[in-house]
Amino acid sequence: MDSGSVFASLVQAPEDPILGVTVAYNKDPSPNKLNLGVGAYRTEEGKPLVLDVVRRAEQLLVNDQSRVKEYLPIVGLADFNKLSAKLIFGADSPAIQANRVATVQCLSGTGSLRVGAEFLARHYHQLTIYIPQPTWGNHPKVFTLAGLSVKTYRYYDPATRGLNFQGLLEDLGAATSGAIVLLHACAHNPTGVDPTLEQWEQIRQLMRSKGLLPFFDSAYQVVALVVWWITGGQIENMLGFASGSLDADAQPVRMFVADGGECLAAQSYAKNMGLYGERVGALSIVCKTADVASKVESQLKLVIRPMYSNPPIHGASIVATILKDSKMYDEWTVELKAMADRIISMRKQLFDALSARGTPGDWSHIIKQIGMFTFTGLNGEQVAFMTKEYHIYMTSDGRISMAGLSSKTVPHLADAIHAAVTRMG
Ligand code: PLA
């Protein structure tokens, strides 16, 4: 009886390609079901993880009677903003020292991207943004709704399961001068393929020569670094990683700041602090001068105020508590290492399980790719088969969240992949 409704003509919208996987998973009554869709860390027991250091920070916050629930300023918690800028640009960043960085607390990575995009749509002279092909499925929607016009640049080569560096250089070389370019700071989602530092340097030179404006999406900072260290066999570095070497996976971003040019960076604390539902993130805009940065910040406030007025206080307070206390910061990195170790171990176990089954094809990308995801190369039909026959849930592009696997579930996944490849290959 909806004929009388003013909304009666609405069509049923499809579920989100990533978050909808969880919706489908929740409806499945099978005891063997496995959710490898969304990139959310799970323990070996398949449970969500709250870091000990986060629990401790929350305890400190609760016990502090001087803390109140007043509104934060429009730009968020000042300490949090300073510490976030330091985390991504480096504690000794000349841009920070010169007050050339405007940082605002936003609603996690997505909110930071959206505020940055809305700002650019109002105040930047070029409304075209180039995003990698493929990229996180929400990118085109965020940017289009903000009023930017989205184009793509080649990024991934399915044949080599590696970077299409030539295609990338050609496409950015042919881009409209002054256009915005979205870059994944590290652990590219969904491919797990990142440029090398030498390639980043070439990208930087090309972009600067054409006046292209870099917009970094940093949703996996630190997690990616630790994984990279272990996969790179440089495990000895792990001993030093609590004392400053964590900075390495912000390296591409820092290269673009070191040249004195301008850029934007959207940071998320969802994955690296496990604060998914707290919605904590930051948008930083690095400017040429302190004067410009101050004007940029004033305009960011005009973007934020009518959208959600000001950001929530709890998650940002947790992050600030941890980042400003060197002991808690070190504890955080140790817990990160444990998460990264488990992801690495899942990569190895899955690779070994497929090798043991003699599954046709080269699966070495499972241990080569970086970050939380494996971009398996399985096609939509194979994915649908695995969901139907094995109750394994993943995005239709063949991406699996390695963080959702455990030693117990690896054999089930390997059986499913083996069956999909041999029967639907
Ligand atoms: N940018 C990239 C590249 C991401 O992968 C994600 C999250 C975000 C930004 C936004 O994260 P946030 O707003 O929660 O901070 N991608 C997830 C989740 C982990 C999602 O799709 O929302 C994913 O499964 O791809």
Side-chain angles (χ1 to χ4, degrees):
M1 269 302 287
D2 56 2
S3 59
S5 169
V6 292
F7 303 116
S9 62
L10 287 194
V11 294
Q12 184 71 33
E15 290 287 356
D16 180 80
I18 297 175
L19 301 184
V21 173
T22 303
V23 175
Y25 166 84
N26 286 338
K27 285 188 193 149
D28 186 337
S30 164
N32 296 327
K33 64 181 178 175
L34 184 57
N35 186 3
L36 306 176
V38 68
Y41 184 82
R42 296 283 177 268
T43 63
E44 191 49 31
E45 289 72 46
K47 298 269 175 342
L49 178 71
V50 179
L51 299 183
D52 285 342
V53 72
V54 165
R55 292 265 192 232
R56 231 156 50 73
E58 285 188 307
Q59 213 56 60
L60 288 174
L61 294 172
V62 168
N63 293 342
D64 182 350
Q65 294 296 320
S66 70
R67 296 186 58 82
V68 293
K69 302 285 187 192
E70 289 288 285
Y71 291 127
L72 284 179
I74 296 172
V75 296
L77 195 66
D79 265 1
F80 167 84
N81 288 338
K82 282 203 202 89
L83 292 158
S84 294
K86 273 191 183 175
L87 185 68
I88 188 158
F89 302 120
D92 51 2
S93 163
I96 295 178
Q97 276 159 13
N99 283 322
R100 296 196 280 115
V101 186
T103 304
V104 291
Q105 180 192 331
C106 296
L107 305 185
S108 212
T110 310
S112 307
L113 290 166
R114 182 64 185 263
V115 169
E118 298 273 347
F119 168 85
L120 290 169
R122 280 194 209 182
H123 300 293
Y124 189 56
H125 63 88
Q126 240 304 331
L127 297 186
T128 305
I129 183 163
Y130 287 82
I131 61 175
Q133 176 64 260
T135 190
W136 180 48
N138 213 19
H139 278 149
K141 300 171 194 173
V142 167
F143 296 130
T144 305
L145 282 173
L148 299 175
S149 147
V150 173
K151 291 192 174 154
T152 60
Y153 62 89
R154 278 171 285 171
Y155 188 84
Y156 179 75
D157 182 354
T160 62
R161 296 212 171 95
L163 186 69
N164 182 354
F165 190 51
Q166 201 49 44
L168 178 152
L169 291 179
E170 279 169 28
D171 290 351
L172 293 188
T176 323
S177 92
I180 309 153
V181 178
L182 190 276
L183 301 160
H184 294 230
C186 60
H188 181 274
N189 176 12
T191 66
V193 172
D194 285 352
T196 63
L197 282 185
E198 291 71 35
Q199 288 170 330
W200 272 117
E201 175 53 20
Q202 282 188 60
I203 297 170
R204 188 193 65 77
Q205 285 176 15
L206 172 67
M207 284 183 58
R208 290 309 192 198
S209 74
K210 295 206 56 177
L212 301 171
L213 182 65
F215 192 164
F216 282 100
D217 182 357
S218 181
Y220 300 92
Q221 192 192 350
V222 181
V223 176
L225 170 72
V226 179
V227 174
W228 172 74
W229 263 339
I230 305 173
T231 47
Q234 300 173 43
I235 295 170
E236 66 277 14
N237 277 1
M238 300 304 297
L239 298 173
F241 86 116
S243 56
S245 332
L246 275 172
D247 297 354
D249 72 340
Q251 201 62 46
V253 179
R254 291 179 194 182
M255 284 162 56
F256 280 80
V257 176
D259 66 14
E262 299 179 302
C263 70
L264 289 84
Q267 281 169 273
S268 166
Y269 290 95
K271 273 72 75 174
N272 59 12
M273 272 198 201
L275 293 174
Y276 308 90
E278 294 289 356
R279 312 308 295 146
V280 206
L283 170 74
S284 287
I285 305 190
V286 180
C287 309
K288 292 256 178 176
T289 66
D291 181 48
V292 175
S294 153
K295 290 180 191 154
V296 164
E297 184 184 307
S298 72
Q299 291 293 339
L300 284 170
K301 285 158 76 171
L302 298 191
V303 172
I304 292 168
R305 172 68 167 147
M307 248 203 278
Y308 53 87
S309 191
N310 50 74
I313 196 165
H314 186 66
S317 305
I318 297 172
V319 172
T321 303
I322 294 170
L323 293 185
K324 77 176 157 209
D325 180 303
S326 65
K327 220 172 141 268
M328 291 180 96
Y329 185 99
D330 289 354
E331 278 172 40
W332 171 47
T333 60
V334 170
E335 289 192 73
L336 264 171
K337 180 184 179 300
M339 288 199 277
D341 278 346
R342 213 187 75 70
I343 296 173
I344 300 291
S345 152
M346 288 306 114
R347 287 187 181 280
K348 236 191 121 326
Q349 287 182 35
L350 180 60
F351 176 73
D352 290 346
L354 292 173
S355 306
R357 283 163 181 74
T359 308
D362 176 3
W363 297 94
S364 60
H365 55 289
I366 295 176
I367 41 183
K368 282 188 206 139
Q369 291 171 351
I370 301 275
M372 286 186 122
F373 302 111
T374 289
F375 202 46
T376 57
L378 294 164
N379 63 34
E381 260 181 283
Q382 291 167 325
V383 170
F385 167 84
M386 286 167 58
T387 305
K388 186 158 174 282
E389 302 296 328
Y390 288 83
H391 305 275
I392 292 173
Y393 289 79
M394 54 199 277
T395 52
S396 60
D397 59 2
R399 184 191 85 168
I400 60 177
S401 171
M402 298 307 286
L405 269 179
S406 72
S407 306
K408 281 196 285 298
T409 53
V410 162
H412 182 55
L413 175 61
D415 287 344
I417 294 177
H418 187 83
V421 169
T422 47
R423 288 195 226 162
M424 329 268 307

Short mmCIF file of all heavy atoms in Angstrom, two decimals, residues 202-214 253 255-263:
data_model
loop_
_atom_site.label_atom_id
_atom_site.label_comp_id
_atom_site.label_asym_id
_atom_site.label_seq_id
_atom_site.Cartn_x
_atom_site.Cartn_y
_atom_site.Cartn_z
N GLN A 202 59.57 9.57 -10.12
CA GLN A 202 59.21 9.94 -11.50
C GLN A 202 57.80 10.52 -11.59
O GLN A 202 57.54 11.45 -12.34
CB GLN A 202 59.29 8.70 -12.40
CG GLN A 202 60.71 8.33 -12.79
CD GLN A 202 60.68 7.22 -13.84
OE1 GLN A 202 60.13 7.38 -14.91
NE2 GLN A 202 61.26 6.09 -13.51
N ILE A 203 56.90 9.91 -10.80
CA ILE A 203 55.51 10.42 -10.79
C ILE A 203 55.51 11.86 -10.26
O ILE A 203 54.85 12.75 -10.81
CB ILE A 203 54.61 9.52 -9.90
CG1 ILE A 203 54.53 8.10 -10.50
CG2 ILE A 203 53.22 10.12 -9.73
CD1 ILE A 203 53.87 7.06 -9.59
N ARG A 204 56.30 12.08 -9.22
CA ARG A 204 56.37 13.42 -8.63
C ARG A 204 56.87 14.44 -9.66
O ARG A 204 56.25 15.50 -9.85
CB ARG A 204 57.30 13.42 -7.41
CG ARG A 204 57.29 14.74 -6.62
CD ARG A 204 58.45 14.82 -5.64
NE ARG A 204 59.74 14.85 -6.31
CZ ARG A 204 60.26 15.92 -6.91
NH1 ARG A 204 59.62 17.07 -6.90
NH2 ARG A 204 61.43 15.86 -7.51
N GLN A 205 57.95 14.07 -10.33
CA GLN A 205 58.52 15.02 -11.32
C GLN A 205 57.51 15.34 -12.43
O GLN A 205 57.33 16.49 -12.80
CB GLN A 205 59.80 14.45 -11.92
CG GLN A 205 60.97 14.53 -10.95
CD GLN A 205 62.23 13.89 -11.50
OE1 GLN A 205 62.33 13.63 -12.70
NE2 GLN A 205 63.19 13.64 -10.64
N LEU A 206 56.86 14.28 -12.91
CA LEU A 206 55.88 14.48 -13.99
C LEU A 206 54.74 15.37 -13.52
O LEU A 206 54.35 16.33 -14.19
CB LEU A 206 55.34 13.11 -14.44
CG LEU A 206 54.17 13.16 -15.42
CD1 LEU A 206 54.62 13.73 -16.76
CD2 LEU A 206 53.58 11.76 -15.64
N MET A 207 54.23 15.06 -12.32
CA MET A 207 53.08 15.83 -11.82
C MET A 207 53.44 17.28 -11.57
O MET A 207 52.68 18.19 -11.88
CB MET A 207 52.53 15.18 -10.55
CG MET A 207 51.73 13.93 -10.86
SD MET A 207 50.99 13.18 -9.41
CE MET A 207 49.99 14.52 -8.78
N ARG A 208 54.61 17.49 -10.99
CA ARG A 208 55.01 18.88 -10.73
C ARG A 208 55.23 19.64 -12.03
O ARG A 208 54.89 20.82 -12.12
CB ARG A 208 56.27 18.91 -9.86
CG ARG A 208 56.07 18.46 -8.40
CD ARG A 208 54.92 19.15 -7.72
NE ARG A 208 54.90 18.93 -6.27
CZ ARG A 208 53.84 19.12 -5.50
NH1 ARG A 208 52.69 19.51 -6.01
NH2 ARG A 208 53.90 18.92 -4.19
N SER A 209 55.80 18.94 -13.05
CA SER A 209 56.07 19.65 -14.30
C SER A 209 54.78 20.07 -14.99
O SER A 209 54.75 21.02 -15.75
CB SER A 209 56.93 18.78 -15.23
OG SER A 209 56.15 17.76 -15.78
N LYS A 210 53.68 19.33 -14.72
CA LYS A 210 52.41 19.67 -15.36
C LYS A 210 51.47 20.43 -14.43
O LYS A 210 50.30 20.67 -14.75
CB LYS A 210 51.70 18.38 -15.79
CG LYS A 210 52.45 17.61 -16.87
CD LYS A 210 51.50 16.77 -17.68
CE LYS A 210 50.40 17.62 -18.26
NZ LYS A 210 49.46 16.98 -19.11
N GLY A 211 51.96 20.74 -13.24
CA GLY A 211 51.12 21.46 -12.29
C GLY A 211 49.92 20.65 -11.82
O GLY A 211 48.88 21.20 -11.47
N LEU A 212 50.04 19.29 -11.83
CA LEU A 212 48.94 18.46 -11.34
C LEU A 212 48.93 18.50 -9.81
O LEU A 212 49.99 18.48 -9.19
CB LEU A 212 49.10 17.02 -11.84
CG LEU A 212 49.14 16.84 -13.36
CD1 LEU A 212 49.51 15.41 -13.75
CD2 LEU A 212 47.77 17.22 -13.96
N LEU A 213 47.75 18.57 -9.22
CA LEU A 213 47.65 18.72 -7.76
C LEU A 213 47.45 17.35 -7.10
O LEU A 213 46.43 16.69 -7.33
CB LEU A 213 46.48 19.65 -7.41
CG LEU A 213 46.27 19.95 -5.93
CD1 LEU A 213 47.45 20.74 -5.35
CD2 LEU A 213 44.96 20.71 -5.70
N PRO A 214 48.41 16.90 -6.26
CA PRO A 214 48.28 15.59 -5.63
C PRO A 214 47.29 15.60 -4.46
O PRO A 214 47.35 16.49 -3.62
CB PRO A 214 49.69 15.29 -5.08
CG PRO A 214 50.55 16.44 -5.47
CD PRO A 214 49.68 17.57 -5.91
N VAL A 253 54.30 10.59 0.27
CA VAL A 253 53.68 11.87 0.64
C VAL A 253 54.77 12.89 0.95
O VAL A 253 54.73 14.03 0.49
CB VAL A 253 52.77 11.69 1.87
CG1 VAL A 253 52.13 13.02 2.26
CG2 VAL A 253 51.70 10.64 1.62
N MET A 255 57.80 13.02 -0.06
CA MET A 255 58.53 13.48 -1.24
C MET A 255 57.83 14.67 -1.88
O MET A 255 58.47 15.61 -2.36
CB MET A 255 58.60 12.35 -2.28
CG MET A 255 59.61 11.27 -1.94
SD MET A 255 59.31 9.74 -2.87
CE MET A 255 59.37 10.33 -4.52
N PHE A 256 56.51 14.60 -1.89
CA PHE A 256 55.73 15.67 -2.52
C PHE A 256 55.69 16.92 -1.65
O PHE A 256 55.34 17.99 -2.11
CB PHE A 256 54.30 15.21 -2.81
CG PHE A 256 54.16 14.37 -4.05
CD1 PHE A 256 54.48 13.02 -4.05
CD2 PHE A 256 53.70 14.94 -5.23
CE1 PHE A 256 54.35 12.25 -5.19
CE2 PHE A 256 53.56 14.17 -6.39
CZ PHE A 256 53.88 12.83 -6.37
N VAL A 257 55.98 16.76 -0.35
CA VAL A 257 55.99 17.94 0.52
C VAL A 257 57.39 18.55 0.52
O VAL A 257 57.55 19.77 0.56
CB VAL A 257 55.55 17.55 1.95
CG1 VAL A 257 55.65 18.74 2.89
CG2 VAL A 257 54.11 17.02 1.93
N ALA A 258 58.40 17.69 0.39
CA ALA A 258 59.79 18.16 0.46
C ALA A 258 60.13 19.09 -0.71
O ALA A 258 61.02 19.93 -0.59
CB ALA A 258 60.73 16.96 0.45
N ASP A 259 59.41 18.96 -1.83
CA ASP A 259 59.74 19.81 -2.97
C ASP A 259 59.13 21.21 -2.84
O ASP A 259 59.26 22.03 -3.75
CB ASP A 259 59.36 19.15 -4.30
CG ASP A 259 57.85 18.97 -4.47
OD1 ASP A 259 57.08 19.58 -3.72
OD2 ASP A 259 57.44 18.20 -5.37
N GLY A 260 58.44 21.45 -1.74
CA GLY A 260 57.90 22.79 -1.50
C GLY A 260 56.56 23.04 -2.17
O GLY A 260 55.94 24.08 -1.96
N GLY A 261 56.08 22.05 -2.94
CA GLY A 261 54.81 22.22 -3.64
C GLY A 261 53.62 21.92 -2.74
O GLY A 261 53.78 21.54 -1.58
N GLU A 262 52.44 22.10 -3.31
CA GLU A 262 51.22 21.94 -2.51
C GLU A 262 50.61 20.55 -2.72
O GLU A 262 50.84 19.91 -3.74
CB GLU A 262 50.24 23.06 -2.87
CG GLU A 262 50.87 24.41 -2.54
CD GLU A 262 50.02 25.62 -2.86
OE1 GLU A 262 49.63 25.77 -4.03
OE2 GLU A 262 49.77 26.42 -1.94
N CYS A 263 49.87 20.08 -1.73
CA CYS A 263 49.15 18.81 -1.87
C CYS A 263 48.10 18.69 -0.79
O CYS A 263 48.08 19.46 0.17
CB CYS A 263 50.11 17.62 -1.81
SG CYS A 263 50.84 17.30 -0.20
#
